[in-house]
């Protein structure tokens, strides 16, 4: 039983398709009901066990309604793929006009889904799985695209000092600078600044939660990882990517289904572990 957020098109649609092709029951979700139902119908016509439910990850009421529906109809879930996200910059653009929406969706929305779904993750000898679709643009120590503040970078990198409060304060500090017009001198990532920072926060939260969840008893383990799908030819990149959604979805599906090794709190690309 798998839930894939933002799965009416692009990478999310392909992740849902591949999971369903492995014989799983998959809940396809989208903000808009019509497009979600149309996407679900395509898979159902192929004989795949896919159902639809509306979900807006930035709306607490929507998440609560979805959670209640999952509980009532399935008793819980085994796999959560946090794919829903937004980006408003293309090419060489670096506008922060929609920074609040980007951070609210890609970080806070993802975080809300994780917190709400964790109590619903079903016991399993293989462990429940959470996979967060993030980006290399959110790496802490990327050569060209990283936070300039060395002290902050070190705090975010140190698992002992990493906290939800630190991650929240980092993104909120950026948003405050966006509002007062000082963000360009704030030492933030230079490429797609709002998107990069939202994914950096999601990466950090993955590490934090993996550490917290490591205390779960045997049979109730929850393994959480994140991965970069690459520069994918989808609407989010204005079709400028060079990777197909089919290839981009592969690592998410692999992390969700892998049963011969138990990894958590790691960052992957093309089935290989990479540095945060």
């Amino acid at each position: 039983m798998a839930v894939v957020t933002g799965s009416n098109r692009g990478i999310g649609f392909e992740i849902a398709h591949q999971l369903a092709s492995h014989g799983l029951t998959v809940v396809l979700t989208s903000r808009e009901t019509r497009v979600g139902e149309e996407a679900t119908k395509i898979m159902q016509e192929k004989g795949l066990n896919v159902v639809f439910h509306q979900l807006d990850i930035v709306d607490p009421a929507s998440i609560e309604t979805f959670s209640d529906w999952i509980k009532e109809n399935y008793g819980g879930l085994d796999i959560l793929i946090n794919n829903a996200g937004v980006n408003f910059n293309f090419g060489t653009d670096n506008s922060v006009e929609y920074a609040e929406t980007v951070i609210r969706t890609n970080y806070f929305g993802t975080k809300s889904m994780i917190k709400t779904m964790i109590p619903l993750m079903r016991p399993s000898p293989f462990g429940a799985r959470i996979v967060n679709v993030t980006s290399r643009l959110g790496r802490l120590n990327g050569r060209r695209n990283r936070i300039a503040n060395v002290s902050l970078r070190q705090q975010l990198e140190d698992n002992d000092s990493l906290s939800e409060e630190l991650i929240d304060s980092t993104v909120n500090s950026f948003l405050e600078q966006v509002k007062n017009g000082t963000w360009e001198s704030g030492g933030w990532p230079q490429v797609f600044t709002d998107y990069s920072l939202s994914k950096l926060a999601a990466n950090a939260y993955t590490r934090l939660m993996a550490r917290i969840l490591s205390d779960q008893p045997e049979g109730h383990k929850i393994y959480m990882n994140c991965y970069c799908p690459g520069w994918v030819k989808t609407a989010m990149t204005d079709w400028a990517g060079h990777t197909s959604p089919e290839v981009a979805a592969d690592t998410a599906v692999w992390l969700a289904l892998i049963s011969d090794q138990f990894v958590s709190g790691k960052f992957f690309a093309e089935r290989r572990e990479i540095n945060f």
Side-chain angles (χ1 to χ4, degrees):
M1 168 63 195
V3 169
V4 186
T5 68
S7 45
N8 58 289
R9 65 180 186 181
I11 300 169
F13 179 88
E14 190 54 38
I15 292 172
H17 177 254
Q18 290 184 26
L19 286 173
S21 297
H22 279 279
L24 280 71
T25 297
V26 177
V27 180
L28 182 152
T29 77
S30 70
R31 281 178 298 178
E32 295 180 41
T33 298
R34 181 183 59 81
V35 296
E37 288 177 340
E38 288 173 357
T40 301
K41 188 178 178 184
I42 292 170
M43 291 198 229
Q44 288 175 340
E45 288 174 348
K46 294 181 180 179
L48 299 174
N49 194 6
V50 179
V51 295
F52 171 73
H53 197 284
Q54 190 276 339
L55 174 64
D56 183 352
I57 66 167
V58 301
D59 179 358
S62 178
I63 293 178
E64 185 177 355
T65 298
F66 179 75
S67 172
D68 290 344
W69 178 81
I70 287 287
K71 201 182 306 179
E72 186 178 332
N73 288 274
Y74 299 98
L77 68 159
D78 304 294
I79 296 165
L80 170 64
I81 312 287
N82 284 306
N83 169 74
V86 294
N87 172 46
F88 295 94
N89 285 308
F90 303 103
T92 57
D93 298 344
N94 193 27
S95 167
V96 293
E97 181 181 355
Y98 301 102
E100 193 168 338
T101 298
V102 172
I103 299 289
R104 189 172 75 240
T105 306
N106 298 356
Y107 171 55
F108 287 109
T110 296
K111 183 170 75 162
S112 295
M113 275 301 295
I114 291 168
K115 286 187 171 185
T116 306
M117 292 295 111
I118 280 176
L120 301 185
M121 304 302 277
R122 300 195 290 208
S124 162
F126 299 108
R129 308 296 168 92
I130 299 175
V131 180
N132 300 319
V133 183
T134 63
S135 172
R136 278 190 177 98
L137 288 173
R139 292 174 73 180
L140 276 169
N141 289 299
R143 289 182 187 173
R144 292 170 296 177
N145 198 48
R146 60 184 183 184
I147 293 174
N149 184 325
V150 176
S151 174
L152 176 58
R153 246 186 11 244
Q154 289 174 339
Q155 287 179 67
L156 288 165
E157 195 173 16
D158 182 358
N159 280 332
D160 291 329
S161 64
L162 184 63
S163 66
E164 185 176 344
E165 291 74 23
L166 176 63
I167 304 168
D168 287 1
S169 69
T170 300
V171 296
N172 286 330
S173 175
F174 165 68
L175 290 175
E176 191 59 41
Q177 290 182 20
V178 167
K179 285 178 184 173
N180 64 33
T182 62
W183 70 274
E184 287 180 285
S185 59
W188 304 108
Q190 305 270 300
V191 179
F192 295 178
T193 302
D194 54 5
Y195 180 81
S196 294
L197 194 60
S198 73
K199 294 302 186 178
L200 184 152
N203 283 345
Y205 192 70
T206 300
R207 289 169 40 230
L208 173 66
M209 288 307 299
R211 187 186 78 202
I212 292 169
L213 292 169
S214 66
D215 291 335
Q216 295 279 105
E218 288 300 325
H220 294 267
K221 294 288 188 186
I222 300 174
Y223 301 105
M224 186 185 308
N225 295 285
C226 52
Y227 93 104
C228 175
W231 195 241
V232 188
K233 197 177 176 94
T234 63
M236 185 176 278
T237 64
D238 201 23
W239 311 103
H242 49 70
T243 302
S244 71
E246 291 81 5
V247 171
D250 175 73
T251 299
V253 175
W254 172 71
L255 284 169
L257 300 180
I258 191 170
S259 60
D260 60 347
Q261 54 180 295
F262 303 107
V263 293
S264 197
K266 304 296 184 184
F267 191 18
F268 290 86
E270 298 174 341
R271 294 196 182 192
R272 294 194 298 270
E273 186 181 339
I274 60 176
N275 293 327
F276 281 99

